[in-house]
Amino acid sequence: MQPAHKELQTPEARFDHYVELLTETLGHADRAEPLRAYATGLMLPGARKSVEPMAARIDPRNVRRKHQSMHHFVADAPWSDERVLVRVREFALPALRAQGPIEAWLLDDTGIPKKGTHSVGVARQYCGQLGKTENCQVAVSLSIANEFASLPIAYQLYLPEEWAEDRERCSKAGVPEEVTFRTKPQIALAQLRTALAAGVPKGVVAADAGYGNGAEFRDELREMGLRYAVGVLSTTRVWAEGRRPLPPQEWSGHGRPPTRLRRDPEHQPVTAKELALENKARCRWVSWREGTQGKLRGRFLALRVRSAHRDYQRREARDEEWLVVEWPESEPEPTKYFLSTLPKHTSLRQLIRKVKLRWRSERDYEELKQELGLTHYEGRGWRGFHHHATLTIAAYAFLVAER
């Protein structure tokens, strides 16, 4: 697929070929024209990338007809977002891997500010774009990344519990009946399982503390055979290197033999913050990549620990992993904490590169929102929300491959 595409001489010819590849997943050949129009509209310059202004830019003499065609295609046509995103991934993956192996799977969520109460999934919740709790929609995504580029390969709206429990409200917004309430980490884990089943080249899972702070989430990643480098809170409890929970009590000879690990008043885990403060002298300066104004450098600490979350309910202690701490020289205490299952021999610089790879997804969203109009969709329904996002990601994938 990709070599034939790259042999085409002009961007216009490659775009035509790309549209043909995507059309094969849409179910009807007559969807090729609105697909081409919508993707073109997203990539053309313009302040708004909602349907009407895009139609006016693409076909100024037939705005009404073009608007109707594009609106039906994105809001109503029953094509599969999943099938299109698989084709998008298959198209872009060779271009990414030509620049280097896939290094990370990036989990993130993005907030889309909204007014009113009728847009699907809208609620008062934390919005990263605004940096505060506000009326917005939130979508969870999984991206594949290396040092060259990254690309979202899964994208799903988070449906707050108040929405999921109101089936009449869901029905009006076109939410499929099989969609029930799931937390953001649960959505993310499902996206990871789908990527594994599809044979997507593995990378280290990187996520912020909204995902990584859950011990159950990290345990699931281990079960899936995925390494991770995820944010946690300063209050996360760990065992310092060389320490672990006490073994089960000796059997008294009566009843069932004890099997669970123990703690006692003198044998307790510590918080990540407490351990970092005890080891401040071991902090080191590390540069991890070139920024727009030179090398990015920071002060970090890496320690071997075991996660202690409810290990008194377990039969075996968790394996050792890295606790990575970022501690700016100007701050009285660390500002960020991460846990990572990268190998014990991993250098500090490599650890920092992995925990910092999430900047790629942040840059994705910056371009998807500001240049391609990810947040500009004005419809209220489930299908239109996901169709618009899928087409925005498809346009972005073409630009990534062209670079």
Side-chain angles (χ1 to χ4, degrees), residues 169-246:
R169 193 182 189 191
C170 285
S171 178
K172 288 180 180 179
V175 179
E177 289 187 7
E178 65 269 18
V179 175
T180 58
F181 174 71
R182 289 190 297 175
T183 65
K184 294 170 196 171
Q186 287 171 337
I187 294 172
L189 288 170
Q191 292 174 339
L192 292 170
R193 292 189 188 99
T194 299
L196 280 173
V200 177
K202 285 185 182 180
V204 175
V205 176
D208 65 21
Y211 299 88
N213 199 60
E216 295 85 358
F217 179 82
R218 301 193 303 272
D219 290 343
E220 285 280 350
L221 297 183
R222 286 180 183 267
E223 287 291 322
M224 284 190 263
L226 293 170
R227 295 193 183 275
Y228 59 76
V230 296
V232 295
L233 299 181
S234 64
T235 52
T236 299
R237 298 184 72 80
V238 296
W239 296 99
E241 187 171 14
R243 291 173 62 82
R244 60 171 64 206
L246 297 170

Side-chain angles (χ1 to χ4, degrees), residues 274-292:
E274 289 169 341
L275 190 59
L277 292 174
E278 291 174 8
N279 289 274
K280 180 179 180 179
R282 296 173 63 181
C283 286
R284 296 292 182 267
W285 285 94
V286 179
S287 61
W288 64 92
R289 70 175 176 87
E290 290 287 339
T292 55

Side-chain angles (χ1 to χ4, degrees), residues 92-341:
L93 189 56
L96 266 68
R97 296 181 79 178
Q99 304 297 324
I102 298 302
E103 293 188 61
W105 287 6
L106 311 177
L107 291 172
D108 207 350
D109 52 66
T110 186
I112 303 169
K114 285 284 183 179
K115 295 181 180 179
T117 59
H118 298 292
S119 294
V120 62
V122 72
R124 282 191 61 79
Q125 52 194 325
Y126 181 77
C127 179
Q129 182 175 326
L130 302 177
K132 61 181 180 179
T133 298
E134 194 53 85
N135 216 48
C136 68
Q137 297 165 307
V138 175
V140 178
S141 68
L142 169 63
S143 298
I144 52 176
N146 58 19
E147 278 295 327
F148 166 70
S150 61
L151 176 74
I153 62 170
Y155 187 92
Q156 183 174 331
L157 180 70
Y158 164 70
L159 198 66
E161 201 163 4
E162 66 195 69
W163 265 87
E165 292 178 350
D166 190 339
R167 297 319 298 181
E168 181 178 352
R169 193 182 189 191
C170 285
S171 178
K172 288 180 180 179
V175 179
E177 289 187 7
E178 65 269 18
V179 175
T180 58
F181 174 71
R182 289 190 297 175
T183 65
K184 294 170 196 171
Q186 287 171 337
I187 294 172
L189 288 170
Q191 292 174 339
L192 292 170
R193 292 189 188 99
T194 299
L196 280 173
V200 177
K202 285 185 182 180
V204 175
V205 176
D208 65 21
Y211 299 88
N213 199 60
E216 295 85 358
F217 179 82
R218 301 193 303 272
D219 290 343
E220 285 280 350
L221 297 183
R222 286 180 183 267
E223 287 291 322
M224 284 190 263
L226 293 170
R227 295 193 183 275
Y228 59 76
V230 296
V232 295
L233 299 181
S234 64
T235 52
T236 299
R237 298 184 72 80
V238 296
W239 296 99
E241 187 171 14
R243 291 173 62 82
R244 60 171 64 206
L246 297 170
Q249 284 185 328
E250 290 187 14
W251 186 39
S252 65
H254 302 284
R256 293 182 178 178
T259 59
R260 293 185 177 181
L261 301 170
R262 295 179 298 125
R263 303 174 185 174
D264 64 26
E266 287 75 38
H267 193 85
Q268 293 286 328
V270 296
T271 66
K273 178 180 175 179
E274 289 169 341
L275 190 59
L277 292 174
E278 291 174 8
N279 289 274
K280 180 179 180 179
R282 296 173 63 181
C283 286
R284 296 292 182 267
W285 285 94
V286 179
S287 61
W288 64 92
R289 70 175 176 87
E290 290 287 339
T292 55
Q293 299 179 352
K295 288 186 177 181
L296 297 179
R297 297 180 74 240
R299 202 171 66 140
F300 297 89
L301 169 68
L303 303 166
R304 298 293 287 173
V305 300
R306 295 179 193 271
S307 172
H309 180 75
R310 295 182 179 176
D311 54 9
Y312 46 80
Q313 296 179 350
R314 297 170 61 93
R315 297 187 177 193
E316 294 181 359
R318 293 182 176 89
D319 292 337
E320 273 194 348
E321 58 189 315
W322 288 104
L323 170 66
V324 180
V325 176
E326 183 170 3
W327 193 337
E329 193 173 30
S330 60
E331 297 293 333
E333 63 183 57
T335 55
K336 293 180 181 178
Y337 300 81
F338 307 88
L339 286 175
S340 175
T341 53

Side-chain angles (χ1 to χ4, degrees), residues 33-53:
E33 190 275 331
L35 165 62
R36 181 188 307 276
Y38 209 95
T40 301
L42 292 171
M43 289 189 285
L44 284 174
R48 289 294 298 172
K49 302 294 177 75
S50 52
V51 178
E52 188 168 358

